[in-house]
């Protein structure tokens, strides 16, 4: 039974479509997205295999599953090697008014138990809503499985009096200290500007519900070592 005959089955068709997407993503050097599609496509084929009685079709399914598992495993090893070498780069494109992009959905895969320090560069941690955004990010770090002990924040000084900015950051610093986390603050006048707008509606507290402004999130991974 050929691959084309498998495509006549609705379940197989869906799985093969996802696996083709995985191949396309891998050829575009979008490894993390490709790996997700490989896993989803393989899972779909395994479900089809469980309900298949025809032995010839089973052999074909097992062959396709095995081939793509090998590709997925090879890709995973390559991505792990890139992370170790500091060459890992993941880009997430967020469309205008898209939802489902909370801090957890963007960063949870990187917050393993080995994470002990986090560096943040954000030129606009000044006004109340921006301080709340930063606080929400800190809450995520405290709740995650990671063992974060230090958060480094590089931001710019408020051009006005800076009273709200200073008092807000000091309150966050004290609150984090109560949870055993140190907040290290540093200010720079040369950090690039950006703008954040917040709408007071569903999504103000739950970031998964918040419509996003169109943007691109670039995530780079490198292995930090510290000499003791």
């Amino acid at each position: 039974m050929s691959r084309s005959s498998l495509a006549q089955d609705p379940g197989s068709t869906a799985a093969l479509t996802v696996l083709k997407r995985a191949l396309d993503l891998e050829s575009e050097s979008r490894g993390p997205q490709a790996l997700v599609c490989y896993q989803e496509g393989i899972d779909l084929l395994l479900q089809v295999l469980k309900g298949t009685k025809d032995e010839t079709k089973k052999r074909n399914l097992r062959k396709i599953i095995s081939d793509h598992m090998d590709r997925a495993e090879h890709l995973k090893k390559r991505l792990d090697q890139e992370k170790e070498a500091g060459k890992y780069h993941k880009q997430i494109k967020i469309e205008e008014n898209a939802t489902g992009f909370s801090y957890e959905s963007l960063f949870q895969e990187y917050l393993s138990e080995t994470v002990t320090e986090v560096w943040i560069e954000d030129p606009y941690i000044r006004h109340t809503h921006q301080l709340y955004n930063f606080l929400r990010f800190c809450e995520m770090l405290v709740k995650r499985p990671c063992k974060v002990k230090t958060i480094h924040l590089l931001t710019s000084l408020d051009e006005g009096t800076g009273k709200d900015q200073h008092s807000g950051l000091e309150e966050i610093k004290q609150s984090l200290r109560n949870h055993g986390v140190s907040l290290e603050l540093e200010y720079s006048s040369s950090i690039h500007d950006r703008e954040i707008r917040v709408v007071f509606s569903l999504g103000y507290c739950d970031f998964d519900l918040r419509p996003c402004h169109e943007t691109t999130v670039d995530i780079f991974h490198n292995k930090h070592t510290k000499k003791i």
Side-chain angles (χ1 to χ4, degrees):
M1 185 176 292
S2 66
R3 186 184 179 107
S4 60
S5 63
L6 282 177
Q8 297 174 5
D9 175 77
S12 298
T13 300
L16 294 175
T17 299
V18 175
L19 290 173
K20 183 181 183 303
R21 177 61 175 158
L23 292 168
D24 292 340
L25 288 167
E26 187 176 0
S27 68
E28 297 169 5
S29 299
R30 298 169 65 184
Q33 297 94 323
L35 190 59
V36 171
C37 286
Y38 277 128
Q39 292 168 339
E40 182 180 343
I42 290 168
D43 286 343
L44 289 172
L45 282 183
L46 286 171
Q47 292 175 24
V48 174
L49 180 62
K50 288 180 180 179
T52 300
K53 298 184 183 298
D54 184 272
E55 290 301 323
T56 303
K57 186 176 181 180
K58 283 184 177 181
R59 285 195 297 272
N60 277 274
L61 285 168
R62 291 191 184 102
K63 178 66 167 60
I64 296 172
I65 290 170
S66 177
D67 289 346
H68 286 87
M69 286 182 70
D70 288 343
R71 289 191 68 97
E73 183 61 27
H74 178 76
L75 175 59
K76 185 177 184 302
K77 287 181 179 178
R78 178 165 61 82
L79 292 175
D80 288 342
Q81 289 171 354
E82 289 178 357
K83 288 180 180 180
E84 287 295 315
K87 298 178 180 179
Y88 180 83
H89 175 208
K90 178 179 179 180
Q91 187 175 81
I92 303 171
K93 177 68 175 179
I94 301 177
E95 302 294 339
E96 184 75 17
N97 291 321
T99 58
F101 293 97
S102 64
Y103 289 143
E104 284 82 0
S105 66
L106 290 172
F107 301 109
Q108 64 181 352
E109 65 179 290
Y110 308 102
L111 301 179
S112 66
E113 293 184 356
T114 61
V115 176
T116 58
E117 293 187 77
V118 174
W119 285 261
I120 304 164
E121 294 186 9
D122 189 330
Y124 270 102
I125 306 294
R126 300 180 178 181
H127 304 299
T128 300
H129 65 280
Q130 295 159 348
L131 289 164
Y132 272 121
N133 287 340
F134 177 62
L135 176 61
R136 178 68 187 85
F137 186 83
C138 292
E139 288 176 338
M140 175 194 66
L141 294 177
V142 171
K143 292 193 301 181
R144 291 291 99 189
C146 55
K147 308 298 183 182
V148 172
K149 295 300 181 184
T150 307
I151 299 173
H152 305 267
L153 173 63
L154 175 64
T155 189
S156 58
L157 281 170
D158 191 344
E159 295 176 355
T161 63
K163 182 178 179 181
D164 290 341
Q165 179 191 33
H166 179 74
S167 61
L169 287 173
E170 284 300 318
E171 288 179 15
I172 294 174
K173 185 174 183 177
Q174 179 58 50
S175 182
L176 285 168
R177 186 181 295 120
N178 294 338
H179 288 272
V181 180
S182 173
L183 174 60
E184 302 293 335
L185 298 171
E186 184 179 349
Y187 299 95
S188 170
S189 59
S190 60
I191 190 170
H192 295 292
D193 288 348
R194 69 173 175 78
E195 183 177 7
I196 301 174
R197 294 188 180 92
V198 177
V199 178
F200 288 89
S201 62
L202 286 177
Y204 180 73
C205 296
D206 188 338
F207 283 14
D208 274 323
L209 298 176
R210 180 180 297 186
C212 300
H213 290 295
E214 182 175 351
T215 189
T216 300
V217 179
D218 288 281
I219 298 174
F220 298 88
H221 183 288
N222 61 351
K223 185 176 181 179
H224 291 279
T225 58
K226 184 179 294 185
K227 294 182 179 179
I228 304 297

